[in-house]
Amino acid sequence: MARYIEPTEAEIAEFAEWLKDRPAIVRELAARLDPWSLFLLKTTGQRVTIVAYGEDGTVRVEVSACVNPGLLFDRTVFGINPDDLEPCDIPDDAGPHEPILSAEGVVENIDALRVLTRPDLFEMGADGTAIRRT
């Protein structure tokens, strides 16, 4: 398993202090899945980092273009089953990749993205806007 970020002693101590007041399930999740390591989300094959631990036993993860080259944009995904995560190494081609589309690019191209990603739900109208299929 690779540490994506190498924490300082102070960060480790601060995290341990924060965990003391958390529910048992959060402490258990944090013991299994530390916030500085990289994990493979088995259901999608994407590399992720931990963002938050849920009291419902799930985690929130960050899916980043830095470790998933070719990703259109970074995203945070909640409700991930911790059993779907396994430790992994940083890929050889990881680095300061920029998402193919910035947040502004997504906004500017939202109609095309809707049609491209969900052609079952949207079609492109004559005026260049996405129209929901009926």
Side-chain angles (χ1 to χ4, degrees):
M1 166 172 60
R3 282 260 167 102
Y4 185 65
I5 299 167
E6 197 56 51
T8 65
E9 293 294 324
E11 290 169 326
I12 293 169
E14 185 178 308
F15 185 63
E17 184 64 31
W18 176 82
L19 277 175
K20 287 180 184 177
D21 296 331
R22 303 284 82 83
I25 186 67
V26 171
R27 291 192 309 271
E28 291 167 15
L29 287 171
R32 285 178 52 195
L33 307 166
D34 78 65
W36 303 289
S37 294
L38 190 62
F39 299 92
L40 180 70
L41 180 55
K42 295 185 280 188
T43 55
T44 66
Q46 295 169 314
R47 294 174 185 89
V48 302
T49 53
I50 303 297
V51 173
Y53 306 98
E55 292 183 25
D56 63 354
T58 65
V59 293
R60 186 179 313 160
V61 298
E62 172 82 11
V63 184
S64 171
C66 290
V67 290
N68 293 289
L71 193 66
L72 287 176
F73 51 90
D74 293 352
R75 62 189 58 92
T76 301
V77 183
F78 64 91
I80 300 297
N81 182 336
D83 293 333
D84 290 340
L85 298 173
E86 65 182 29
C88 69
D89 290 323
I90 297 172
D92 292 336
D93 58 351
H97 295 283
E98 290 295 320
I100 293 172
L101 283 180
S102 64
E104 294 82 18
V106 171
V107 171
E108 291 170 10
N109 295 289
I110 194 68
D111 288 304
L113 289 168
R114 285 180 176 138
V115 173
L116 179 67
T117 59
R118 292 303 306 265
D120 57 321
L121 296 178
F122 296 97
E123 61 186 334
M124 190 62 76
D127 63 352
T129 59
I131 301 169
R132 191 169 192 86
R133 293 181 183 268
T134 54

